[in-house]
Amino acid sequence: MVALETLDYAIIIGFFAITLIIGLMVAKKSGKSSAEYFLSGRNMPWWLLGISMVATTFSTDTPNLVTDIVRNQGVSGNWVWWAFLITGLLTVFVYAKLWRKSEVNTDIEFYELRYGGKPARFLRGFRAVYLGVIFNVLAMSAVTLAAIKIGQIMLGLSPLETIGYAGLVTVIFSTVGGFKGVVYTDFILFFAAMAGGIGAAYYCVNLPEVGGMSGLLSHAEVMNKINIMPDFNDKATLITLLIIPLAVQWWSAWYPGAEPGGGGYIAQRMLAAKDENHAIGATFFFNALHYALRPWPWILVALSSLVIYPDIASIHEAFPNIVESKLGDDLAYSAMLTKLPAGLLGLVMASLIAAYMSTISTHLNWGSSYVVNDFYARYIKPEASQKELVNAGRISTVLLMVISSALALILTNAYQLFNIILMFGAGTGLIFILRWFWWRINAWSEISAMFSSGIISILFNFTSLGVVLFGTAEADGILPFWSTYPMIVLLTSIVWLSVTFLTPPETERTLFDFYKRTQPGGPGWQRILGEAQLQGKNLVTNTQKWSVPAGILATLVGCVTIYGALFSTGYWIYGFYTQAGILTVLTLIATVVLVKLWQRIKTRVF
């Protein structure tokens, strides 16, 4: 536990006050309708939405997760989430405009736009509860678990005290301010979080025990952890950390914030954009900041922690009051922050509070939008007034907070939960990519993929599930660890592809209506366009050239741009100037090419 001084308390209290004031200021307008409460009237600019996405994905569990990865697998272990950049940029250059054109209120409402009949109604209702409540609660509980660990180490707070203090403020401004309050506060939360993260990294690296960058990189505990790429001579590590994420994971898995084809709170922000171009700009801005800017402060603190706390035993020795069930390498990040001086400590604490609040507030509003729009208003009370829908949103926001907080009290490790959520979405991602461009995919395709992925994951990892939820036992996998995920993807894909061809396609009316609204284009719709022409119907309203090929090329060039920025930044920090210089030049060239490609993708605004 560290002793906060008056300056630290002033920074933290001031931060709380600002976020509450913003929530109260926008409360009246946000309460006018469900569209205002959940989408802010669809008039948000790209830069504000992009920053909001970044703030949302910077949660209290993120630096803990990165620290856990770096301490156990080295810097290259981060490929487990760096690979999702491909997914993110495909969303930017292919799917963002499609989402905005769909004009749905949530990505779950999309199911009754793309599919029809009882299967579509079931899918919409089930996914609203499955994602908006169950998966959403799991994600929020991981964030709250990290807040609990930070509260225990840095402030000596009990789990209930941490939830009470941080959760109360968050649920108040989320409940009254709605989506507008969340996005406006995210703007402030982002800068607070970045300032705290960079300040903490600079101070930790320059601690006398660490000895600056030269001392850090030459330390025995750190030298074998700094490589950005995994060891190509270690076959199992190479497959697990690089090949599977880049070859399979990015397109096959559903994970909050990195859904193939866009979804969740990323889709919510695309739907809230002023127009299609603002939706594209917001998602690109998010991916650039998320992957190129943010990781290095966390990585540097994680590497520094290996010098101060080389193992879990040393963390326990320094903080004997930590509950044993909460001990893990992820605690090292919080432990390092106890070294910070007054003022910087208050800023970092405010940044961690900001990270917690931005993520939880987004998940609360997003999950509540599913509960209200796709379950309550669709199945329970379709005739509900706008005021009733807003009130239902506020009630569901509070309930989601209570349930996720209760689950956080029994969780032990965020990285375990990351793997379970990843496994449960394995094999479903390809549907989210293809459903826009292949007419034959139907509601049964998604239903079969969703259930088979969950069942197959349990069969392969049933003992792991007990470890994640209750910390009970060490799990023995049925297959070697690196082969489990691809096997789940393969089996799930076989199931849903078989079901697709064994069940009837969607009706012509459903397919015609979907195409006319979203204009996806491409060879996968030629049969439907041909049938429409035979009936004297013209479904094509967009005269622009099909932009998907240019979008795919822009995705590849964008990966070079952002990965180049990420890696060159790392090499500049390490002092590897030759590699840094070459990558910087490559990044600049790729940026110029990307700007030209972008012009071919932008929608003409008349």
Side-chain angles (χ1 to χ4, degrees):
M1 175 180 172
V2 294
L4 296 179
E5 298 188 10
T6 304
L7 179 59
D8 300 316
Y9 281 114
I11 293 172
I12 294 170
I13 293 171
F15 181 77
F16 273 131
I18 290 171
T19 53
L20 279 174
I21 289 170
I22 291 173
L24 293 172
M25 285 176 63
V26 301
K28 185 176 181 181
K29 188 171 183 180
S30 294
K32 286 183 177 180
S33 67
S34 59
E36 278 288 347
Y37 191 76
F38 294 120
L39 291 175
S40 189
R42 301 185 193 270
N43 62 358
M44 287 285 182
W46 64 270
W47 56 270
L48 187 57
L49 290 172
I51 287 177
S52 177
M53 293 180 195
V54 183
T56 293
T57 51
F58 180 5
S59 57
T60 42
D61 65 324
T62 312
N64 287 20
L65 173 64
V66 171
T67 300
D68 198 337
I69 291 172
V70 171
R71 287 174 63 88
N72 286 285
Q73 300 172 328
V75 174
S76 63
N78 287 286
W79 277 104
V80 73
W81 66 276
W82 285 345
F84 282 124
L85 171 64
I86 307 172
T87 309
L89 291 184
L90 202 62
T91 298
V92 172
F93 296 116
V94 176
Y95 295 98
K97 62 166 64 178
L98 295 172
W99 277 112
R100 187 60 185 84
K101 281 192 289 190
S102 73
E103 292 288 339
V104 293
N105 291 305
T106 68
D107 60 312
I108 299 296
E109 185 182 327
F110 171 87
Y111 290 118
E112 287 196 281
L113 172 65
R114 176 62 176 83
Y115 313 121
K118 291 181 179 179
R121 289 194 293 273
F122 165 78
L123 192 57
R124 181 178 177 181
F126 184 85
R127 292 284 281 184
V129 176
Y130 181 65
L131 297 181
V133 178
I134 299 173
F135 263 57
N136 196 27
V137 162
L138 288 175
M140 286 193 294
S141 63
V143 176
T144 303
L145 170 65
I148 288 172
K149 292 187 175 187
I150 291 169
Q152 283 186 320
I153 282 188
M154 299 194 68
L155 302 174
L157 298 176
S158 70
L160 285 175
E161 286 176 323
T162 299
I163 291 172
Y165 295 143
L168 183 62
V169 174
T170 305
V171 82
I172 288 174
F173 86 77
S174 300
T175 302
V176 300
F179 182 74
K180 190 184 293 288
V182 170
V183 172
Y184 284 1
T185 52
D186 276 350
F187 183 78
I188 297 172
L189 299 177
F190 167 75
F191 290 103
M194 285 307 305
I198 294 171
Y202 180 82
Y203 190 85
C204 288
V205 167
N206 288 287
L207 285 169
E209 303 96 310
V210 178
M213 283 304 303
S214 59
L216 177 66
L217 298 179
S218 62
H219 195 278
E221 294 287 343
V222 176
M223 289 175 64
N224 64 341
K225 301 282 188 181
I226 65 173
N227 291 330
I228 295 173
M229 302 296 288
D231 183 359
F232 281 59
N233 295 316
D234 185 343
K235 181 180 176 182
T237 301
L238 181 65
I239 292 173
T240 303
L241 296 183
L242 190 64
I243 294 177
I244 289 177
L246 287 180
V248 181
Q249 180 181 295
W250 71 267
W251 57 263
S252 64
W254 180 96
Y255 190 81
E259 300 88 344
Y265 51 78
I266 301 298
Q268 184 186 32
R269 280 151 178 76
M270 290 188 286
L271 293 167
K274 286 182 177 181
D275 55 39
E276 297 158 32
N277 292 329
H278 278 268
I280 295 172
T283 45
F284 181 78
F285 193 38
F286 155 62
N287 280 280
L289 294 180
H290 180 57
Y291 291 99
L293 177 65
R294 286 197 318 192
W296 285 108
W298 304 330
I299 290 170
L300 291 173
V301 173
L303 292 173
S304 300
S305 75
L306 287 166
V307 178
I308 310 294
Y309 306 105
D311 51 34
I312 295 176
S314 60
I315 298 175
H316 195 197
E317 183 181 351
F319 304 95
N321 295 327
I322 298 299
V323 180
E324 254 189 79
S325 64
K326 305 296 184 187
L327 276 173
D329 281 297
D330 57 341
L331 279 173
Y333 188 84
S334 304
M336 290 299 293
L337 300 185
T338 63
K339 305 285 186 179
L340 302 180
L344 179 57
L345 178 61
L347 177 62
V348 170
M349 285 300 299
S351 76
L352 293 173
I353 294 168
Y356 171 81
M357 293 172 68
S358 63
T359 302
I360 292 295
S361 63
T362 287
H363 276 270
L364 289 173
N365 188 267
W366 163 54
S368 180
S369 73
Y370 284 1
V371 172
V372 173
N373 288 316
D374 302 300
F375 190 78
Y376 181 79
R378 182 68 180 85
Y379 302 103
I380 305 301
K381 197 173 181 181
E383 73 282 2
S385 66
Q386 290 299 314
K387 185 176 181 180
E388 286 179 289
L389 293 178
V390 171
N391 288 336
R394 286 171 172 162
I395 292 170
S396 59
T397 297
V398 174
L399 290 177
L400 287 172
M401 186 71 201
V402 171
I403 297 169
S404 63
S405 298
L407 180 59
L409 295 174
I410 61 173
L411 285 173
T412 60
N413 186 287
Y415 188 51
Q416 294 168 327
L417 191 59
F418 172 86
N419 283 326
I420 283 295
I421 293 178
L422 206 60
M423 286 291 186
F424 266 71
T428 62
L430 191 58
I431 290 181
F432 304 139
I433 290 175
L434 293 180
R435 64 188 181 182
W436 294 89
F437 299 109
W438 185 28
W439 70 275
R440 191 60 182 81
I441 288 179
N442 59 29
W444 291 110
S445 307
E446 295 218 26
I447 292 170
S448 61
M450 179 175 60
F451 282 106
S452 60
S453 176
I455 293 169
I456 294 168
S457 293
I458 290 173
L459 291 176
F460 279 111
N461 299 280
F462 61 94
T463 49
S464 297
L465 191 60
V467 174
V468 170
L469 294 180
F470 306 107
T472 54
E474 194 65 34
D476 295 319
I478 296 172
L479 296 171
F481 174 76
W482 64 264
S483 64
T484 302
Y485 182 84
M487 184 61 68
I488 295 171
V489 171
L490 176 63
L491 294 176
T492 300
S493 299
I494 290 172
V495 169
W496 73 257
L497 279 169
S498 300
V499 169
T500 298
F501 288 108
L502 291 172
T503 53
E506 298 299 332
T507 64
E508 283 187 352
R509 180 179 177 181
T510 298
L511 295 172
F512 287 179
D513 289 345
F514 174 76
Y515 192 97
K516 194 164 186 177
R517 182 186 291 195
T518 62
Q519 299 293 296
W525 286 98
Q526 288 305 308
R527 179 171 173 177
I528 301 303
L529 292 176
E531 290 177 0
Q533 283 184 334
L534 291 175
Q535 298 177 29
K537 297 178 180 179
N538 180 26
L539 304 182
V540 180
T541 59
N542 181 13
T543 58
Q544 285 185 263
K545 185 179 178 181
W546 192 44
S547 64
V548 169
I552 293 172
L553 182 58
T555 297
L556 297 175
V557 176
C559 284
V560 174
T561 302
I562 294 177
Y563 280 140
L566 172 67
F567 302 152
S568 61
T569 300
Y571 287 134
W572 284 118
I573 291 171
Y574 288 168
F576 301 168
Y577 299 125
T578 301
Q579 297 97 315
I582 293 171
L583 280 173
T584 300
V585 172
L586 180 62
T587 301
L588 292 173
I589 294 171
T591 301
V592 173
V593 175
L594 184 61
V595 169
K596 292 183 178 180
L597 285 171
W598 198 316
Q599 300 304 315
R600 293 161 55 182
I601 297 165
K602 287 178 67 175
T603 300
R604 296 192 189 99
V605 179
F606 299 99

